[in-house]
C-alpha cells in the first residue's frame, strides 16, 4: 500500500498551497546548489518542518520530472529528522537535475542541511 508505514510523508509535513509556496520563495532565505534551489522560511506557528517540491517543464518531460520529484520527496523523508523544526522548505529543481540521480541528489541536499542549522 502506497504511503503506509512509518516512513510515509503525511500531508501535515508538506507545503501544499500555492500561497505558501509563493510566500516561502518570495521571503525565505535562499540556498543554491548546482542542481537545486532551496528556500527556507521560519513557520508562523510552531510545528514540524514542512517540505515542498517544484519541478518545472524546463527540467524535462513528464517521466523525468516525476523521477526528480520522487528523488526529492524520498530525500525529504530521510532529511526531516535532521532539519530544525518550525521551517517551511521549498526545493526547486534546476534544468539538468534529471540526469543527476538519487545518490548525488541526496549528497547535494544533505550539505544544505548543515547550512540550515
Amino acid at each position: 500500500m502506497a504511503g503506509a508505514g512509518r516512513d510515509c510523508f503525511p500531508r501535515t509535513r508538506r507545503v501544499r498551497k500555492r500561497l505558501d509556496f509563493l510566500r516561502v520563495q518570495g521571503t525565505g532565505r535562499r540556498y543554491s546548489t548546482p542542481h537545486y534551489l532551496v528556500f527556507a522560511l521560519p513557520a508562523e506557528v510552531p510545528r514540524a518542518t514542512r517540505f515542498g517540491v517544484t519541478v518545472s517543464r524546463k527540467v524535462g518531460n513528464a517521466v523525468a520530472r516525476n523521477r526528480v520529484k520522487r528523488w526529492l520527496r524520498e530525500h525529504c523523508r530521510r532529511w526531516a529528522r535532521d532539519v530544525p523544526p518550525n521551517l517551511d522548505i521549498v526545493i526547486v529543481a534546476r534544468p539538468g537535475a534529471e540526469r543527476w540521480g538519487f545518490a548525488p541528489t541526496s549528497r547535494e541536499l544533505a550539505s544544505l542541511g548543515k547550512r540550515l542549522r
Side-chain angles (χ1 to χ4, degrees), residues 85-116:
N86 298 328
L87 287 177
D88 284 342
I89 297 174
V90 173
I91 303 171
V92 180
R94 290 180 166 172
E98 75 279 5
R99 295 185 297 271
W100 199 229
F102 175 72
T105 291
S106 195
R107 282 193 301 272
E108 190 172 323
L109 292 174
S111 67
L112 285 177
K114 296 173 188 168
R115 291 168 51 189
L116 286 173

Side-chain angles (χ1 to χ4, degrees), residues 1-93:
M1 180 187 324
R6 64 184 170 92
D7 288 335
C8 68
F9 207 50
R11 286 184 174 191
T12 58
R13 299 298 303 265
R14 291 184 255 166
V15 176
R16 298 182 58 226
K17 295 182 180 176
R18 184 175 195 280
L19 287 177
D20 289 340
F21 275 93
L22 294 175
R23 181 178 50 83
V24 173
Q25 289 177 329
T27 59
R29 180 112 190 244
R30 178 180 171 166
Y31 300 92
S32 183
T33 69
H35 297 97
Y36 301 98
L37 289 174
V38 177
F39 298 90
L41 183 68
E44 296 168 353
V45 282
R47 60 173 147 67
T49 296
R50 296 188 312 168
F51 294 93
V53 173
T54 302
V55 183
S56 73
R57 281 201 257 162
K58 294 177 185 177
V59 173
N61 63 17
V63 173
R65 291 192 307 269
N66 287 327
R67 184 179 304 125
V68 171
K69 286 188 269 188
R70 283 193 305 270
W71 294 339
L72 292 174
R73 284 193 302 263
E74 181 59 28
H75 178 74
C76 290
R77 281 184 196 99
R78 296 176 183 189
W79 197 27
R81 295 177 209 102
D82 301 329
V83 174
N86 298 328
L87 287 177
D88 284 342
I89 297 174
V90 173
I91 303 171
V92 180

